[in-house]
Amino acid sequence: MAINTSIGMVGVALQTDATTKADQVKYAHGLTGGTPLSFDRSTSAVSVACGVRASTDGYVESIDVNPSFDTLGYADAIGLYYYGALGNVVSAAGTKSGTYKHTVTMGDEVPSFTVWGKVGQNNYGFTQGCKIDSISCSFTGNEPLSFSVSTLGTLAQFLDADPFEGTDPSCFDGYFVPTDCTLMIDTAGDTPAEAVITEGSIEISNDCEAFRSCGQVMPSRVSEGKCTVSPSFTVVPDDIKPYRKMITGSETGTKPSGDIVYGSFSCEFRHSKNADWSLKFTADRVPFTADFVDVDPDGGSGEFTFTADSAYIESRGSSPVTVEIVNGVEKYTN
Amino acid sequence: MKTKFVATEDFTAELYGVKFDVKKGEGVEADDLAKSQLVQLGLIEPAKNPKKED
């Protein structure tokens, strides 16, 4: 029997530190693609001339273990992933009974996870010491929100026993959707207003790097680097005011500004099965840029795609993006 | 001089590497950055009769 790739699952749990594997899966959920278990082995020939034209031997240069997968916005796991991407989390009771609100912002360090993967019926493994290298949330039309999670890990192993035994996957409990969402943007200023945004994405990257000691093929540590938050929103405006504002600093401005102009955004999404749960992204120091509308002889509505290489922070304690998740998870910290 | 802060509700947090697991009414010791976030979120406030300490 072949490996049935429609049978895939990922599990994740927070580690107590960078080197200690988590005991068991905390959140298990489905995938829309990717590789929850990955061994990227690099080999090299030993370069030696030995009287014949072919190499005689080789060695393993490295084995990188970087689980990366695409998934839907499962309310429990997604909070853990954003905590993993940014590093700070504050959890308290929500306004509705049985709900909890998690406010995730950028900290100095990001936590480590153990990631379990399953592909096919009885093929399992885990990767420990994983840090979130990047996570992106994309939305278009009324499709469920799509998330891509890339991690860098240290040690990985195959397993013979099912690590998901006894863990209910979140797949049956709904996910975050754009239906009746609130999408707001301000291309110059910190008071975003509702706009016709047809698609968008928000990516958080940590510029992670895995490094290994001599004699070790698998990484011994993963370290995070600079945090960048890159948003992109395609807007169909009534006029060019949002673009003019971005260029001049004011929607009535005439001269392009030599000073950097910061905009802001707020995107709040609902959950498909629980009206009390939500996912919200906000940022208020975003140097948007966009190409001007192209003329098209065939006509059609002009649109701008406002993007930024990275949102900035205003003070030492602020965050380039704030993620608020309201769900049924009491807390994410160990 | 430090102002004493107390929790306005139960909360847990990890802020800049420091973990919090606090019940409503308990005093909260935190550095300025963490304190600033918790105040902003309305989770801590200066104690009603703040004790000033050096």
Side-chain angles (χ1 to χ4, degrees), chain A residues 72-113:
Chain A
L72 301 178
Y74 299 112
D76 50 6
I78 213 71
L80 191 62
Y81 292 137
Y82 277 104
Y83 167 39
L86 286 168
N88 279 351
V89 65
V90 180
S91 304
T95 53
K96 299 282 177 61
S97 175
T99 66
Y100 297 89
K101 181 179 174 181
H102 311 278
T103 305
V104 185
T105 55
M106 185 185 71
D108 294 333
E109 298 176 344
V110 297
S112 298
F113 299 91

Side-chain angles (χ1 to χ4, degrees), chain A residues 157-232:
Chain A
Q157 285 181 28
F158 295 104
L159 293 170
D160 293 321
D162 183 357
F164 298 97
E165 187 69 39
T167 306
D168 282 332
S170 309
C171 314
F172 308 108
D173 301 329
Y175 36 77
F176 289 111
V177 292
T179 311
D180 297 328
C181 64
T182 306
L183 303 175
M184 301 195 288
I185 186 170
D186 185 355
T187 55
D190 57 3
T191 51
E194 282 205 56
V196 179
I197 296 176
T198 56
E199 61 181 338
S201 65
I202 300 158
E203 179 170 7
I204 301 169
S205 300
N206 281 320
D207 194 22
C208 285
E209 182 182 10
F211 51 93
R212 47 183 63 74
S213 305
C214 282
Q216 303 291 319
V217 293
M218 298 177 85
S220 51
R221 283 284 193 284
V222 174
S223 64
E224 63 272 29
K226 195 167 193 168
C227 176
T228 54
V229 177
S230 312
S232 172

Side-chain angles (χ1 to χ4, degrees), chain A residues 30-71:
Chain A
L31 312 161
T32 56
T35 53
L37 184 63
S38 156
F39 295 85
D40 184 6
R41 190 174 69 156
S42 172
T43 63
S44 186
V46 175
S47 183
V48 57
C50 202
V52 290
R53 291 196 297 129
S55 296
T56 59
D57 201 2
Y59 65 98
V60 176
E61 279 186 327
S62 60
I63 300 176
D64 288 317
V65 285
N66 304 330
S68 296
F69 46 88
D70 304 322
T71 182

Side-chain angles (χ1 to χ4, degrees), chain A residues 83 87-93 103 105-106 108 316-317 331 333, chain B residues 9-17 19 21 33 37-38 41 43:
Chain A
Y83 167 39
N88 279 351
V89 65
V90 180
S91 304
T103 305
T105 55
M106 185 185 71
D108 294 333
R316 193 163 63 94
K331 63 175 185 174
T333 51
Chain B
E9 56 183 288
D10 299 356
F11 70 88
T12 61
E14 171 145 10
L15 288 167
Y16 306 102
K19 288 187 169 67
D21 190 349
L33 287 181
Q37 284 214 22
L38 293 169
L41 291 168
L43 293 173

Side-chain angles (χ1 to χ4, degrees), chain A:
Chain A
M1 186 178 172
I3 300 166
N4 185 345
T5 56
S6 74
I7 301 174
M9 198 148 70
V10 65
V12 63
L14 186 66
Q15 295 185 181
T16 53
D17 56 51
T19 56
T20 309
K21 175 185 168 290
D23 292 334
Q24 59 186 25
V25 173
K26 177 77 173 175
Y27 304 111
H29 61 82
L31 312 161
T32 56
T35 53
L37 184 63
S38 156
F39 295 85
D40 184 6
R41 190 174 69 156
S42 172
T43 63
S44 186
V46 175
S47 183
V48 57
C50 202
V52 290
R53 291 196 297 129
S55 296
T56 59
D57 201 2
Y59 65 98
V60 176
E61 279 186 327
S62 60
I63 300 176
D64 288 317
V65 285
N66 304 330
S68 296
F69 46 88
D70 304 322
T71 182
L72 301 178
Y74 299 112
D76 50 6
I78 213 71
L80 191 62
Y81 292 137
Y82 277 104
Y83 167 39
L86 286 168
N88 279 351
V89 65
V90 180
S91 304
T95 53
K96 299 282 177 61
S97 175
T99 66
Y100 297 89
K101 181 179 174 181
H102 311 278
T103 305
V104 185
T105 55
M106 185 185 71
D108 294 333
E109 298 176 344
V110 297
S112 298
F113 299 91
T114 301
V115 177
W116 290 263
K118 171 181 180 175
V119 181
Q121 268 192 308
N122 296 306
N123 309 301
Y124 318 107
F126 72 85
T127 309
Q128 69 185 70
C130 295
K131 289 189 175 183
I132 305 278
D133 184 41
S134 68
I135 180 169
S136 72
C137 169
S138 306
F139 53 94
T140 182
N142 199 35
E143 294 174 17
L145 299 191
S146 171
F147 295 83
S148 291
V149 180
S150 295
T151 74
L152 266 63
T154 53
L155 299 171
Q157 285 181 28
F158 295 104
L159 293 170
D160 293 321
D162 183 357
F164 298 97
E165 187 69 39
T167 306
D168 282 332
S170 309
C171 314
F172 308 108
D173 301 329
Y175 36 77
F176 289 111
V177 292
T179 311
D180 297 328
C181 64
T182 306
L183 303 175
M184 301 195 288
I185 186 170
D186 185 355
T187 55
D190 57 3
T191 51
E194 282 205 56
V196 179
I197 296 176
T198 56
E199 61 181 338
S201 65
I202 300 158
E203 179 170 7
I204 301 169
S205 300
N206 281 320
D207 194 22
C208 285
E209 182 182 10
F211 51 93
R212 47 183 63 74
S213 305
C214 282
Q216 303 291 319
V217 293
M218 298 177 85
S220 51
R221 283 284 193 284
V222 174
S223 64
E224 63 272 29
K226 195 167 193 168
C227 176
T228 54
V229 177
S230 312
S232 172
F233 302 109
T234 300
V235 179
V236 182
D238 293 332
D239 48 43
I240 67 163
K241 282 178 183 171
Y243 184 86
R244 189 169 169 174
K245 200 173 175 182
M246 180 193 77
I247 294 293
T248 67
S250 157
E251 62 183 29
T252 56
T254 55
K255 289 183 181 174
S257 173
D259 296 325
I260 192 157
V261 174
Y262 292 115
S264 55
F265 65 81
S266 171
C267 303
E268 184 167 12
F269 301 99
R270 300 292 165 197
H271 193 264
S272 63
K273 287 197 173 177
N274 191 322
D276 295 335
W277 292 356
S278 60
L279 171 65
K280 184 178 182 182
F281 301 89
T282 53
D284 60 7
R285 202 168 171 83
V286 189
F288 283 117
T289 187
D291 291 333
F292 197 67
V293 172
D294 281 335
V295 169
D296 183 352
D298 294 331
S301 300
E303 61 184 31
F304 295 101
T305 299
F306 293 102
T307 63
D309 290 338
S310 185
Y312 300 145
I313 55 173
E314 192 168 14
S315 60
R316 193 163 63 94
S318 54
S319 180
V321 67
T322 297
V323 186
E324 288 177 4
I325 300 129
V326 177
N327 59 17
V329 175
E330 187 177 354
K331 63 175 185 174
Y332 284 106
T333 51
N334 278 329

